[in-house]
Amino acid sequence: MVKIGLFCAAGFSTGMLVNNMKAAAEKKEVAAEINAYSQGSLADHVADLDVVLLGPQVAYTLDKSEEICKEHQVPISVIPMADYGMLDGNKVLDLALSLVD
């Protein structure tokens, strides 16, 4: 089971993206636990995750977030704006999986 954390500012649209990612994982028969959190809580959750994705609206925190993730050997990436805006669960799931393979 891959544990994916999406980190953003408030979590409203990210919550919808999480639901789309869960549907995509089910369709692909990928065992995944996917949750959304506020970016400010990254340090509280990173130890329990396999991969971290940042919403484009918090991309400016990438350097600081990379430092936190590096301590736990957790890969991190920023979700592309187009995929985030389209709530493309399939593409964002593929991004997450590509980071842990």
Side-chain angles (χ1 to χ4, degrees):
M1 162 126 11
V2 61
K3 295 181 179 181
I4 304 168
L6 276 67
F7 291 83
C8 63
F12 302 113
S13 52
T14 305
M16 291 186 288
L17 179 57
V18 164
N19 290 336
N20 292 350
M21 290 175 70
K22 287 179 179 178
E26 194 173 306
K27 197 177 254 187
K28 292 180 180 206
E29 298 182 1
V30 171
E33 182 181 313
I34 308 166
N35 292 294
Y37 308 98
S38 69
Q39 194 285 328
S41 69
L42 175 61
D44 297 331
H45 297 284
V46 69
D48 298 323
L49 299 171
D50 297 312
V51 62
V52 167
L53 298 177
L54 295 179
Q57 70 275 37
V58 294
Y60 67 92
T61 69
L62 182 60
D63 289 343
K64 179 182 175 188
S65 299
E66 280 179 325
E67 287 178 27
I68 294 168
C69 289
K70 189 174 183 180
E71 291 176 27
H72 299 275
Q73 292 84 42
V74 175
I76 182 172
S77 184
V78 176
I79 301 168
M81 179 96 52
D83 297 341
Y84 188 89
M86 296 298 291
L87 299 174
D88 193 328
N90 200 43
K91 284 188 178 177
V92 178
L93 177 64
D94 286 346
L95 170 63
L97 295 176
S98 74
L99 294 170
V100 293
D101 284 345

